[in-house]
């Protein structure tokens, strides 16, 4: 299933070294060296690689575009929306714990407009409840919080070079 997905939607990104702070995935080195035509594919494969699927719930922000929720739906899981902080437009970490249920498998914070979500607090709650964290860092390339880059906090961080992103490539 994942093998065919990789053939259809991925290329090879070359040298990525998370130890140097490069973009990548420190928990899944095979995925760290992949690139995607669209963030929907990156998020979908991240969810699949971590075993998120039918009957699971994934907590995320409601103010992201359709790609975030679509990736969750594509793997058979249900998005659970938690409100955002009014000053940052980031997932409100103070509301996360109330949204966690026995079916919650992951938290998918979005880092909008180059502003990182409260990753130290999100990671603390994820570890406390045994949840996975997949970061949608497509609009926060180069941003950091507490000295650590976006996309390097959770199990997998997803970036995009689509034409509508900060470092857009030619076409999507």
């Amino acid at each position: 299933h994942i093998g065919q997905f990789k053939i259809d939607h991925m290329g090879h990104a070359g040298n990525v070294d998370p130890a140097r702070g490069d973009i990548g995935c420190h928990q899944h080195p095979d995925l760290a060296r992949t690139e995607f035509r669209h963030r929907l594919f990156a998020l979908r494969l991240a969810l699949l690689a971590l075993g998120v699927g039918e009957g699971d719930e994934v907590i995320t922000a409601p103010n992201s575009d359709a790609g975030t929720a679509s990736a969750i739906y594509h793997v058979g899981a249900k998005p659970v929306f938690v409100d955002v902080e009014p000053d940052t437009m980031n997932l409100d970490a103070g509301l996360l714990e109330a949204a966690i249920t026995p079916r919650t498998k992951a938290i998918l914070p979005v880092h909008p407009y180059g502003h990182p979500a409260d990753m130290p607090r999100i990671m603390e709650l994820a570890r406390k409840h045994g949840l996975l964290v997949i970061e949608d860092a497509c609009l926060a390339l180069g941003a950091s919080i507490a000295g650590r880059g976006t996309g390097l906090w959770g199990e997998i961080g997803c970036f995009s070079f689509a034409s509508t992103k900060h470092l857009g490539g030619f076409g999507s």
Side-chain angles (χ1 to χ4, degrees):
H1 190 74
I2 290 176
Q4 185 59 47
F5 184 89
K6 288 175 79 169
I7 290 168
D8 292 343
H9 302 292
M10 295 170 25
H12 188 73
N15 297 324
V16 177
D17 184 0
R20 290 193 334 244
D22 292 351
I23 297 168
C25 171
H26 55 286
Q27 297 293 328
H28 294 272
D30 290 341
L31 295 181
R33 291 178 166 79
T34 57
E35 61 186 29
F36 299 86
R37 295 185 185 132
H38 192 279
R39 78 178 175 125
L40 169 64
F41 303 139
L43 292 171
R44 182 174 157 206
L45 184 59
L47 291 162
L48 287 171
L50 295 174
V52 177
E54 194 70 39
D56 293 329
E57 294 178 349
V58 178
I59 298 172
T60 193
N63 62 333
S64 183
D65 73 5
T68 305
S70 293
I72 296 167
Y73 281 122
H74 275 230
V75 300
K78 174 187 170 188
V80 174
F81 297 110
V82 168
D83 207 356
V84 297
E85 299 170 339
D87 56 336
T88 66
M89 301 306 289
N90 280 306
L91 189 64
D92 189 334
L95 301 176
L96 275 176
E97 198 154 26
I100 296 171
T101 73
R103 296 178 82 167
T104 304
K105 182 132 184 193
I107 302 170
L108 201 164
V110 180
H111 304 297
Y113 324 115
H115 299 288
D118 185 355
M119 292 310 297
R121 179 74 176 123
I122 291 169
M123 295 305 298
E124 177 185 323
L125 287 169
R127 298 305 170 240
K128 177 181 176 183
H129 294 279
L131 302 175
L132 302 164
V133 176
I134 299 130
E135 294 175 75
D136 181 341
C138 295
L139 288 174
L141 184 62
S144 64
I145 184 168
R148 191 175 202 174
T150 55
L152 297 174
W153 286 84
E155 280 67 34
I156 297 178
C158 298
F159 297 86
S160 173
F161 292 99
S163 58
T164 58
K165 303 303 184 236
H166 294 317
L167 290 176
F170 183 69
S172 289

